[in-house]
Amino acid sequence: MIAKTLSLISTIKADYMGMFASILCALHCSAVPVFISLGLVSGAGHSHNHLFDLFLAFVGLLIAVFTLVKDYNTHKSATPLITAFAGFTILFVSL
């Protein structure tokens, strides 16, 4: 089962997984404040799970590390590494 799962993950391009995670993050991060401001989530402390935020951040970090290491070996440019490091630092500090 694990070998089949790893085989499936290796066939999916990391860029597409990264785009999916980014879209999911954007939807989550924009929907929660809208729901709170509309009053759809009363007492948001019990309904908004910060572990989900951390989970999405770590999934994004894993995808970014996998993609950036692979691409760095090809292009030898440190700019995407620096940009990703700055972005993830801001993200984890804000959580």
Side-chain angles (χ1 to χ4, degrees), residues 12-90:
I12 298 173
K13 290 194 171 202
D15 291 337
Y16 292 125
M17 290 179 7
M19 286 188 298
F20 177 75
S22 296
I23 291 169
L24 186 63
C25 180
L27 289 174
H28 173 261
C29 292
S30 62
V32 170
V34 170
F35 289 155
I36 291 172
S37 68
L38 293 175
L40 298 175
V41 181
S42 61
H46 71 277
S47 62
H48 183 77
N49 189 352
H50 291 285
L51 289 176
F52 185 69
D53 294 339
L54 284 173
F55 173 75
L56 286 178
F58 278 113
V59 167
L61 181 64
L62 287 174
I63 293 170
V65 166
F66 176 73
T67 305
L68 290 172
V69 167
K70 186 180 75 155
D71 288 343
Y72 179 77
N73 291 333
T74 303
H75 302 292
K76 304 291 187 213
S77 174
T79 304
L81 295 172
I82 294 167
T83 305
F85 177 77
F88 279 106
T89 300
I90 292 169

